[in-house]
Amino acid sequence: MHAFITLTAERARAQAEGIDRALAAGEDAGPLAGVPFTTKDIFCVKDTPSTAASKIWRNFSAPYSATVVERMEAAGAVMLGKVNLDEFTYGSFQ
């Protein structure tokens, strides 16, 4: 199916460990603590390939994260990876 373009296992593991530490210390880990999520590859995620499903951008690594990704992670959600889409989200042409 090629659902995932990029898996972010190390990032997810680090996020989960941070949540575990916060909970063990009695801190608020966020309203979405531990909830897994994915993002379409059109959204930039810092230090992660962001290709928009295009071979033209196959070597692009984002220097920042999209606001929606930053907000999800700040709320404690754990990003599993970036998922596929039509190239540049243009949709299918027939």
Side-chain angles (χ1 to χ4, degrees), residues 47-91:
D47 300 326
T48 303
S50 294
T51 69
S54 175
K55 291 180 181 177
I56 295 170
W57 284 8
R58 69 179 160 258
N59 296 320
F60 177 70
S61 184
Y64 63 91
S65 288
T67 301
V68 67
V69 174
E70 286 180 343
R71 289 182 179 178
M72 290 290 289
E73 291 180 333
V78 176
M79 192 178 89
L80 302 179
K82 300 183 78 181
V83 292
N84 210 348
L85 62 150
D86 290 320
E87 186 175 23
F88 297 112
T89 69
Y90 285 142

Side-chain angles (χ1 to χ4, degrees), residues 5-76:
I5 289 180
T6 303
L7 292 172
T8 56
E10 289 180 31
R11 181 187 195 100
R13 195 170 296 112
Q15 290 171 331
E17 289 170 355
I19 291 166
D20 286 345
R21 281 191 302 275
L23 293 174
E27 300 170 1
D28 181 12
L32 299 178
V35 174
F37 79 101
T38 60
T39 186
K40 288 291 191 179
D41 196 41
I42 195 73
F43 293 105
C44 289
V45 177
K46 187 174 180 165
D47 300 326
T48 303
S50 294
T51 69
S54 175
K55 291 180 181 177
I56 295 170
W57 284 8
R58 69 179 160 258
N59 296 320
F60 177 70
S61 184
Y64 63 91
S65 288
T67 301
V68 67
V69 174
E70 286 180 343
R71 289 182 179 178
M72 290 290 289
E73 291 180 333

